[in-house]
Amino acid sequence: MADCMKKQGNNIGQDVVVLHQLDRGVFTPNISPFPLKLETYLRMANIPYQNDFKNPIGPKGKTPWITLNGVNYSDSQLCLEMLAKRFHKDFSSHLSAEEQAVARSLQIMAEEHFYWLIVLQRVVYTKGKTLFQIQTSFPSILRLVMPIMVRRVKSQTQAQGMGRHTKEEAIEMGMKDLRAMSAFLGTKPYFMGEKPTEMDCSMFGILAQVVWSLPGSPFESHMNGEFVNLRSFCNRMKSKFWPDWDQCLASPQA
């Protein structure tokens, strides 16, 4: 596998996944959609795992990454697909080719398009101020270097493309994304029907940020109105796979 890194020794049991991710957030177990996605999948698939919060950034400079039987793997989606094959946990096999294509398209819209609205809202539009509300373990020096971080992230969003639009234009694009997600979900319990699939883990990772960890965003209030079905979906996933949700949150700063 292309994402297979050098082996490293550890004392973890055979076939136990080590999930390397950021520290717990105040309102969501992770403030990044991708560790939350992967950990939700591990729970859905009943794959034994342990968390490592000390080494969140992997060989590709991204979070999360995993170690399995002494081998490191990067990228949440590639990790998920590897685990599904390794442990024979495919929750999408009942879907038709057309349904799988739709699921993939929605997931890419959420993770590769709407995700950048989360980044812009948290770092660029608010100058990073809300980050300290949702994550308490950031080092104090981050406040001092926040202007540098803001400029760096702004440059990244401009390179990606979303940051080249005005704030109003970008927010409207995000609203259209959420409107599309809400319309497709409709009254179904999960995006592809009565049973959750891998794609629901991805959508939950993204949407949970909007529901719980994007304070003051222009999208937040709509989760109680136009997009209430998306909030219900998040609560459904939370209840089903995160019965210990509250125990997995960091204590807010006093």
Side-chain angles (χ1 to χ4, degrees):
M1 178 178 289
D3 279 74
C4 180
M5 307 301 176
K6 292 181 179 180
K7 292 186 177 182
Q8 61 180 27
N10 58 57
N11 298 316
I12 304 301
Q14 185 75 10
D15 287 346
V16 176
V17 174
V18 179
L19 175 59
H20 310 279
Q21 60 172 316
L22 298 171
D23 281 339
R24 295 303 195 190
V26 176
F27 305 109
T28 51
N30 203 291
I31 66 168
S32 170
F34 305 107
L36 184 56
K37 158 193 172 178
L38 190 51
E39 189 168 3
T40 301
Y41 171 76
L42 288 166
R43 289 167 172 244
M44 178 189 290
N46 289 314
I47 296 173
Y49 74 96
Q50 294 183 16
N51 282 308
D52 166 34
F53 301 111
K54 294 183 179 180
N55 304 286
I57 307 301
K60 288 187 175 181
K62 298 171 64 178
T63 189
W65 58 292
I66 66 171
T67 303
L68 177 63
N69 298 332
V71 182
N72 300 333
Y73 302 86
S74 296
D75 186 273
S76 65
Q77 185 61 30
L78 295 178
C79 288
L80 190 156
E81 292 174 5
M82 182 278 292
L83 292 170
K85 184 176 182 180
R86 172 68 177 78
F87 290 94
H88 308 289
K89 298 288 186 176
D90 184 353
F91 298 100
S92 302
S93 59
H94 64 287
L95 300 178
S96 67
E98 181 179 356
E99 289 172 328
Q100 291 188 33
V102 171
R104 180 173 174 81
S105 298
L106 280 168
Q107 179 178 334
I108 289 174
M109 178 182 70
E111 293 186 335
E112 303 295 338
H113 193 262
F114 186 80
Y115 165 75
W116 289 99
L117 271 301
I118 296 176
V119 173
L120 282 167
Q121 178 64 29
R122 282 181 176 170
V123 182
V124 179
Y125 299 157
T126 61
K127 307 299 182 186
K129 294 178 181 178
T130 61
L131 285 174
F132 299 96
Q133 299 175 28
I134 63 176
Q135 181 84 24
T136 60
S137 62
F138 288 133
S140 57
I141 193 173
L142 183 61
R143 294 181 184 273
L144 299 177
V145 300
M146 184 58 70
I148 297 174
M149 179 179 173
V150 171
R151 288 196 297 271
R152 183 176 299 171
V153 171
K154 185 175 182 180
S155 178
Q156 292 173 347
T157 63
Q158 289 177 338
Q160 184 271 340
M162 188 65 73
R164 294 177 181 271
H165 302 296
T166 66
K167 180 179 178 180
E168 291 73 20
E169 290 171 338
I171 289 172
E172 180 57 28
M173 290 179 183
M175 289 294 293
K176 289 177 179 177
D177 285 350
L178 291 172
R179 200 163 286 127
M181 297 179 212
S182 178
F184 184 81
L185 177 63
T187 58
K188 300 190 297 294
Y190 303 102
F191 273 89
M192 301 313 296
E194 295 298 316
K195 298 187 297 184
T197 68
E198 293 86 350
M199 176 260 202
D200 288 293
C201 297
S202 300
M203 303 305 283
F204 178 63
I206 289 288
L207 293 171
Q209 308 304 321
V210 184
V211 173
W212 293 295
S213 287
L214 209 60
S217 80
F219 311 116
E220 187 181 36
S221 61
H222 291 275
M223 288 293 168
N224 290 318
E226 182 179 0
F227 308 132
V228 68
N229 63 333
L230 298 180
R231 172 181 282 275
S232 296
F233 162 77
C234 286
N235 283 322
R236 196 172 298 117
M237 291 287 289
K238 175 184 170 184
S239 296
K240 188 172 183 64
F241 300 113
W242 289 88
D244 57 342
W245 180 276
D246 290 341
Q247 289 71 48
C248 291
L249 302 180
S251 299
Q253 291 179 330

